[in-house]
Amino acid sequence: SGGSDSVVPQAKIIGSSPSGSSARQGNMFVFSMSYQPEFCYQHRKDGYPGCLNPNPIWKSSLTIHGLWPEFTDGSWPSTCSDEKFSQQTVDDIGLNRFELYWPNVKVRSGEDGYMRFWDHEWTKHGTCTGLRQDAYFKTALDNALATPDIVGDNYGESVKKVDLIQGFVDASSASQSSTGDAANMFVAVCDHSGKYLSEVRVCLDMDDNGFPAGVCECPTTVLNEGQCHDDINIPVFPSDALEER
């Protein structure tokens, strides 16, 4: 497992079946997890509330960016139905789960625009899954990647990319997978310099009902998004930075 510091449950297969209200497109998923300290560094001059007062858990656990249906040829669908995002979905699942595991750090809770991030993810990506809106969000939250201890243990330090990827493999079901090379199922994404961890993406099979069904090897297009150098810095929140980098 990812250890005691990892608050996000490890990926697992979801077994319920949807009554889809949108057309399913794609034959796999890319599940993208963000490292909030790097996002906040990139936006350090924007005064985002969640960056000025971040949850300490985000130092050791990546949070959800999105669950994106794609095709194994590298193409992806977008905005597949006109079903509107419903705030009631968030309320029904539990706002606290979103705020911890899928946070919108740009807007203070309850203020105008606070739901915009989830609205965007549903409208652009969720409508292409064939899943009901509640099933889409719950599936993403239930399948959030466990963050290995190597992240929190090296906050502000440097790690080997191969060790980071192996940590995510070990913290998930990928090490038991028989569908290919586990190291090619996860992609570390860095800032434009290739030095600082920004995101980790994992590729997931899609079952006949449109749900994630375990890790799989990523298409070349997804692997090519991982432009990190062999040594990766685990960035800190700007509020923790002792000096400009």
Side-chain angles (χ1 to χ4, degrees), residues 175-220:
S175 54
Q176 287 84 47
S177 175
S178 59
T179 58
D181 182 0
N184 287 332
M185 299 173 181
F186 296 82
V187 181
V189 179
C190 288
D191 72 320
H192 61 84
S193 75
K195 296 178 180 178
Y196 292 89
L197 181 66
S198 174
E199 299 205 338
V200 172
R201 295 174 182 163
V202 62
C203 294
L204 302 170
D205 282 319
M206 182 184 288
D207 72 14
D208 293 339
N209 292 315
F211 285 102
V215 292
C216 63
E217 285 199 55
C218 294
T220 305

Side-chain angles (χ1 to χ4, degrees), residues 109 131 242:
S109 181
L131 301 177
L242 299 177

Side-chain angles (χ1 to χ4, degrees), residues 41-84:
Y41 177 81
Q42 295 297 332
H43 295 276
R44 60 194 179 282
K45 293 180 169 57
D46 294 328
Y48 291 156
C51 293
L52 297 175
N53 187 28
N55 191 318
I57 288 174
W58 299 337
K59 297 178 183 181
S60 57
S61 286
L62 277 69
T63 60
I64 298 171
H65 180 173
L67 179 64
W68 306 331
E70 297 199 10
F71 292 97
T72 49
D73 66 4
S75 63
W76 64 88
S78 178
T79 314
C80 299
S81 86
D82 57 5
E83 182 185 343
K84 299 299 185 188

Side-chain angles (χ1 to χ4, degrees), residues 69 76-80 119-128:
W76 64 88
S78 178
T79 314
C80 299
D119 186 339
H120 168 81
E121 291 299 316
W122 164 254
T123 301
K124 183 176 181 180
H125 303 289
T127 58
C128 298

Side-chain angles (χ1 to χ4, degrees), residues 128-232:
C128 298
T129 62
L131 301 177
R132 296 190 316 265
Q133 191 169 152
D134 59 340
Y136 171 72
F137 283 111
K138 190 172 187 305
T139 296
L141 287 161
D142 288 347
N143 282 265
L145 275 183
T147 302
D149 291 340
I150 190 173
V151 174
D153 289 350
N154 291 280
Y155 183 68
E157 306 293 336
S158 175
V159 301
K160 296 288 185 186
K161 178 169 70 172
V162 64
D163 293 337
L164 179 70
I165 295 298
Q166 189 60 47
F168 276 94
V169 170
D170 292 343
S172 76
S173 58
S175 54
Q176 287 84 47
S177 175
S178 59
T179 58
D181 182 0
N184 287 332
M185 299 173 181
F186 296 82
V187 181
V189 179
C190 288
D191 72 320
H192 61 84
S193 75
K195 296 178 180 178
Y196 292 89
L197 181 66
S198 174
E199 299 205 338
V200 172
R201 295 174 182 163
V202 62
C203 294
L204 302 170
D205 282 319
M206 182 184 288
D207 72 14
D208 293 339
N209 292 315
F211 285 102
V215 292
C216 63
E217 285 199 55
C218 294
T220 305
T221 49
V222 178
L223 292 174
N224 289 343
E225 295 166 0
Q227 73 287 41
C228 297
H229 295 172
D230 290 339
D231 293 293
I232 300 176

